[in-house]
Amino acid sequence: MGAQQRVFKQKIRSTQSLRKIFKAMELIAASRIQKAIARSQAASPYANALTRAVSAVASESNVDHVLTTESDNVKHAAVLVVGPDRGFAGAYSANLVREAEELIRLLRNEGKNVDLFTVGSKAKNYYTFRDRKIEKSWTGISENPLAEHAREIGEALLENFDPESDDSGIDEIYIVFTRFVSSVTHDPEYRRLLPLEVVDAEEASTGGQAEQPSDAPAFPLYEFEPSAEAVLDALLPRYIDSRILSALLSAAASEQASRQAAMKTATDNADDLIKTYTRLANTARQAEITQELTEIVGGADALAASAAGD
């Protein structure tokens, strides 16, 4: 076997090995998408009921609560970036970071200081490599987020939320995540968590926002005991946790969908490379055979000419 054939045969074997890995990762991602979607749908009833409860309290009371009141002088904002822990997901991480950087740029142009919180190794590594300070990070939870994780993140964000403070208190909290729409559509976006922007119940389950439909049923009249402020104190932290959990679940589904699409593309490209290398190997083999035949024929002609001369 000639040198060129050996090179192409080695490339074919290497590409075939990579193709097996890509195909396995594609199948794994496809199976995990359904699980992530199912978990998001299972959490929807609780998120819908909690959203309606918070909407009722916020709409039917005139309480100036710290979590719902806009600050007159916003100086400090916290940004939670929900990214993946692993790669091989195409442009998923790059699109998310681009959206986060756009939000941070807008906030800084408004004269606000920004505290960074991250979920996932990719977001953490991105900012660490650029010597950007991260207040707190969570890793190892992006593919399988739990309610405990959302509660821990919510507590960390609310810990320093104090719009009335003039120094280190956080006035606003934003979350940047990738909203899952379908297996082929998942859009990075950012939402303000605090001060509270009450979202429609259906949108809360996916981490998005929508205006209340004009034909939506009106809230009934409520009497709050012991007080509307006490009800808000109990409901709003849980509401924040549910919003964070919805964003985590939506991001998990988006990550798996991106990984499946990326691995499908990688598998197809590997197939194309195998075909190309096989064709080049066959071409090299034919060239070597032709050269050998030419040399044999040339040697036979030389022997014949030498015999005729004798």
Side-chain angles (χ1 to χ4, degrees), residues 254-269:
S254 301
E255 178 185 350
Q256 298 302 333
S258 297
R259 183 167 293 115
Q260 181 193 20
M263 293 299 99
K264 176 66 167 61
T265 302
T267 302
D268 294 342
N269 289 339

Side-chain angles (χ1 to χ4, degrees), residues 52 55-56 59-60 200-202 211-222:
R52 185 166 180 81
S55 299
S59 302
E60 300 299 327
D200 180 72
E202 181 179 353
E211 297 181 356
Q212 189 73 10
S214 58
D215 58 348
F219 291 119
L221 297 178
Y222 288 95

Side-chain angles (χ1 to χ4, degrees), residues 183-245:
S183 296
V184 296
T185 305
H186 20 86
D187 303 321
E189 61 183 34
Y190 60 84
R191 297 294 180 186
R192 193 179 76 177
L193 288 180
L194 293 177
L196 186 66
E197 291 179 346
V198 178
V199 301
D200 180 72
E202 181 179 353
E203 291 293 327
S205 61
T206 60
Q209 284 186 299
E211 297 181 356
Q212 189 73 10
S214 58
D215 58 348
F219 291 119
L221 297 178
Y222 288 95
E223 291 184 2
F224 304 105
E225 294 184 359
S227 66
E229 185 174 5
V231 174
L232 280 174
D233 286 338
L235 284 180
L236 284 176
R238 291 174 174 78
Y239 175 77
I240 295 301
D241 293 347
S242 71
R243 290 285 304 276
I244 294 175
L245 179 60

Side-chain angles (χ1 to χ4, degrees), residues 96 99 175-179 187-191 206-209:
L96 177 74
E99 188 75 9
I175 183 170
V176 185
F177 68 104
T178 304
R179 182 168 60 91
D187 303 321
E189 61 183 34
Y190 60 84
R191 297 294 180 186
T206 60
Q209 284 186 299

Side-chain angles (χ1 to χ4, degrees), residues 1-287:
M1 182 184 296
Q4 282 191 327
Q5 286 194 62
R6 284 195 296 270
V7 170
F8 290 129
K9 292 294 184 182
Q10 180 60 38
K11 289 183 177 181
I12 290 172
R13 286 193 294 268
S14 300
T15 307
Q16 287 174 338
S17 298
L18 289 174
R19 184 192 181 282
K20 292 179 182 178
I21 298 174
F22 296 152
K23 189 63 177 179
M25 294 183 67
E26 177 190 351
L27 296 176
I28 292 172
S31 65
R32 290 179 176 176
I33 288 175
Q34 300 305 319
K35 182 179 179 181
I37 295 175
R39 290 189 62 205
S40 180
Q41 292 175 345
S44 295
Y46 174 78
N48 293 346
L50 189 58
T51 299
R52 185 166 180 81
V54 174
S55 299
V57 179
S59 302
E60 300 299 327
S61 67
N62 295 321
V63 175
D64 291 332
H65 195 275
V66 65
L67 300 183
T68 59
T69 303
E70 295 275 356
S71 177
D72 295 331
N73 187 17
V74 178
K75 297 181 179 180
H76 214 146
V79 176
L80 173 65
V81 182
V82 181
D85 283 299
R86 299 191 299 125
F88 295 98
Y92 175 78
S93 296
N95 293 336
L96 177 74
V97 169
R98 188 181 301 113
E99 188 75 9
E101 288 294 286
E102 176 66 17
L103 171 62
I104 293 172
R105 184 184 64 81
L106 291 175
L107 293 175
R108 287 178 173 169
N109 287 343
E110 295 173 359
K112 302 173 184 177
N113 296 322
V114 177
D115 287 349
L116 271 174
F117 297 79
T118 63
V119 174
S121 300
K122 291 298 182 180
K124 177 183 177 181
N125 294 339
Y126 175 85
Y127 292 109
T128 301
F129 180 77
R130 288 160 178 78
D131 295 327
R132 305 270 286 276
K133 181 181 178 182
I134 299 176
E135 299 299 326
K136 193 168 183 179
S137 62
W138 295 265
T139 58
I141 66 173
S142 66
E143 293 189 10
N144 188 31
L146 302 175
E148 291 79 5
H149 301 142
R151 187 177 303 113
E152 180 183 350
I153 295 172
E155 291 175 353
L157 292 174
L158 291 175
E159 181 178 359
N160 296 321
F161 182 76
D162 187 8
E164 298 178 358
S165 173
D166 295 331
D167 299 326
S168 60
I170 294 176
D171 303 308
E172 293 179 331
I173 298 177
Y174 292 83
I175 183 170
V176 185
F177 68 104
T178 304
R179 182 168 60 91
F180 180 82
V181 180
S182 66
S183 296
V184 296
T185 305
H186 20 86
D187 303 321
E189 61 183 34
Y190 60 84
R191 297 294 180 186
R192 193 179 76 177
L193 288 180
L194 293 177
L196 186 66
E197 291 179 346
V198 178
V199 301
D200 180 72
E202 181 179 353
E203 291 293 327
S205 61
T206 60
Q209 284 186 299
E211 297 181 356
Q212 189 73 10
S214 58
D215 58 348
F219 291 119
L221 297 178
Y222 288 95
E223 291 184 2
F224 304 105
E225 294 184 359
S227 66
E229 185 174 5
V231 174
L232 280 174
D233 286 338
L235 284 180
L236 284 176
R238 291 174 174 78
Y239 175 77
I240 295 301
D241 293 347
S242 71
R243 290 285 304 276
I244 294 175
L245 179 60
S246 296
L248 291 174
L249 292 173
S250 181
S254 301
E255 178 185 350
Q256 298 302 333
S258 297
R259 183 167 293 115
Q260 181 193 20
M263 293 299 99
K264 176 66 167 61
T265 302
T267 302
D268 294 342
N269 289 339
D271 289 334
D272 292 339
L273 279 176
I274 291 172
K275 292 179 181 178
T276 300
Y277 289 146
T278 301
R279 182 170 62 252
L280 293 174
N282 291 336
T283 301
R285 178 173 176 270
Q286 291 296 328

